[in-house]
Amino acid sequence: MSHAQLRVWPALAGSKISPTLYGHQLEMVGRSVYDGLWSGRASHSPNEDGIRLDMLALLKHLRVPLLKWPGDAFADYYHWQDGVGTGGNRPHRMNIPWQQIEPNNFGLHEFMNLCTKLECKPWVTCNGATGTLEEALALVEYATFGGETNRTRARGDDGSLDPYEIPFWSASRGGGWDINALTALDSEINVVQPMEAALGRSNSGGGFACPDVALKSPKILSFRHFFTHGPGRGFGKEAYDDMCVGLQDFGALLRRYIAQLSVLYGDRVPAISLQEWGMWHPEATAESGLEQPNTLRDALLAASVYNLLHQHAAHVKVAVLAQAVNALQCLAVTEGTAMYLTPNYHVVEMMRPHRGGRLLTHRLESPDMEARAMAAGSKKVSMPALSVSASRAGKRVCISVVNRSYSEPVSLSVEMREGDIASLSGQLLHADAVSAENSFENPRNVIPSRLNVTPDGNTFHDTLPPHSFAVYTVALGQG
C-alpha cells in the first residue's frame, strides 16, 4: 500500500475561500425547473409559493450561497417581460435551444422569491443574443431601481413594491452590446464579463491580447468549462483515467488564466468566475432535457474541482455548478413527488465547512498515479494520486482529500504543525465500484459514512480506499 504525508500549518492562513464558489444554475431546460423545482402554487403536491418543499428544504440545508438564472443558452432567446405579470397573462413561447414549450410560470419574481427564502445571492443573465441593451437596461430598472417610474410601478403591481438586490449580472454569449452600461443604473452591481474579452478568442496556444486592447478594469471575468469523458453509465477505467487527465488540464488552464491576467492587470487582477461547469455526458441531450446518470465518478470530479478552486481562492471567487436538479451534474433527481440525492449532493454537503474559511499552507507528499487520455496517440500522464485542500475558520480546520487512484488504497498521515488536536471527526464517500449511483429504488447506494479516526497528539492516520473522497474536521487545542 502506498503512503502519503500531509503537513498543515494552521497559523499560516491565506486567502478566504469565497462561499460563492458553491453556486448552482437554474437553466430553463427539461425538468430542471418545472417538475424539479417549481410545482406551481395550485399544485396538490407539497409546495411553498409554488416551490417544491423537498427541494426548498434541500437547498436550505446546503445553505446555497448563489443561484444563477435563467441559464445561458436559454437566455439567448428569453425576453424577461414574458415572465412577469399576474393573472395568467404570461405567454407560452417556444424554448428554442431546448426544443420545448416555455409557459413562463417561473420568471423573475419567482426566482427572486426563491433566493429570498434561501437567503442566497442571485445572478441574472440578460439576453445578449436576440435581446438589446435597451431591454437589459429596462430589466435592471424594473428589478432594482428604488424610485418611482412606470417600470417600478409595474414591478409593484406584479408583486414586489421593494426593489430587489441582484449583485451579479451577465449577458448570454457575451452580448453584442457593452454590458458595463448596466452600471449606469446601479453602480453596486457586479458585471460579469467573458474571459475572452480580455484574453482574446484564440487563447489555446497560450497567447493573449495586448494590454492596450484588453478590457479596462473589469470587476469579474468569467469562463465556462464542461468535462466530457465517455458515457455516464457503462464506462471503464479508460474513461475514468480520461477524467483524471482532464482535471490536470483544467488546473493548468486556471493557472494560465491567472498568469495572463497578472501580466495584463498587474496587482489589480479581476476576480475570476467559473460561470458554468460540471460533467456533461453524451446522454444529456435536448431530447433528454439534459438528464444524465450521476455516479461516484461525477462526485469525485466535483470534489477535485472544488479542491482546485480552493487552491486559487485569491483569484477565483464565483463558480456555478450546472445544474441544481434533474439536469447535468445535479444535486437531486425528482419524479412526481419522489426525490433522491445524487452523490454530487453529498460532496457539496461535505465541503460546507470550507466556505468562508481561510486557505491554509500545507505540504503534500503523495504517491503518483498514471492515467492516459482516450484521444488517439495520447501518452500516459503522471500525477499525484491525492487531491487536497485545507482551510481554517476559528479553531476549526477542514481538510478534504480525494484519492483519485482507480484501484489502489493510500495510507494517509496528517500532521498539524502547530498545536494539538482537541477533537477529530470525518466522513468518507466511497463505493465498491466508481460507477455506483443512487436511484429511486436504491437511494442510499452512495452515501457518506462516518470515519473512526483517533488523533495522536498533533497527528492522525487513515487509509483512503481507491476512488474515494474524505473530509476531516479538526478542532484545534490550545497549543
Side-chain angles (χ1 to χ4, degrees), residues 1 41 48 111 173 177 234 261 275 287 296 340 354 419:
M1 182 187 301
R41 295 180 178 86
E48 184 177 304
F111 171 65
R173 308 305 174 197
W177 35 266
L261 293 175
Q275 71 180 64
E287 291 75 18
L296 176 59
Y340 70 84
H354 276 306

Side-chain angles (χ1 to χ4, degrees), residues 23 54 61 66 86 142 151 212 227 253 351-352 390 415 423 479:
D54 51 3
H61 176 73
L66 179 145
T86 58
Y142 175 92
R151 291 192 178 102
D212 60 341
F227 297 83
L253 177 67
M351 284 286 200
R352 262 178 35 186
E415 179 184 0
S423 64

Side-chain angles (χ1 to χ4, degrees), residues 124-260:
V124 172
T125 302
C126 302
N127 184 338
T130 61
T132 64
L133 173 59
E134 290 73 21
E135 182 180 0
L137 287 169
L139 171 56
V140 175
E141 178 187 340
Y142 175 92
T144 69
F145 186 53
E148 186 172 342
T149 68
N150 289 345
R151 291 192 178 102
T152 59
R153 283 194 294 270
R155 182 190 67 221
D157 294 339
D158 294 339
S160 181
L161 293 173
D162 296 324
Y164 293 124
E165 292 185 12
I166 304 176
F168 298 99
W169 293 83
S170 62
S172 66
R173 308 305 174 197
W177 35 266
D178 184 7
I179 193 171
N180 273 311
L182 301 187
T183 60
L185 291 177
D186 186 348
S187 61
E188 298 300 315
I189 65 176
N190 295 302
V191 172
V192 183
Q193 300 184 77
M195 184 73 70
E196 63 190 24
L199 301 183
R201 294 181 181 272
S202 299
N203 197 36
S204 58
F208 52 92
C210 297
D212 60 341
V213 298
L215 289 175
K216 305 300 181 183
S217 303
K219 282 186 177 181
I220 305 175
L221 292 174
S222 70
F223 70 104
R224 55 175 57 85
H225 191 92
F226 284 103
F227 297 83
T228 54
H229 304 287
R233 191 178 286 129
F235 60 88
K237 185 177 185 299
E238 295 79 8
Y240 181 85
D241 283 356
D242 192 64
M243 178 196 76
C244 293
V245 175
L247 283 165
Q248 290 292 101
D249 293 342
F250 175 70
L253 177 67
L254 267 181
R255 291 190 295 273
R256 191 178 80 205
Y257 279 159
I258 292 169
Q260 292 172 344

Side-chain angles (χ1 to χ4, degrees), residues 284-301:
T285 63
E287 291 75 18
S288 71
L290 297 189
E291 296 190 31
Q292 65 180 27
N294 278 279
T295 66
L296 176 59
R297 176 181 63 155
D298 302 282
L300 297 178
L301 176 127

Side-chain angles (χ1 to χ4, degrees), residues 392 395 418-422 475-479:
R392 176 174 180 173
K395 285 286 188 178
E418 291 102 359
D420 290 337
I421 299 174
L476 298 172
Q478 299 301 315

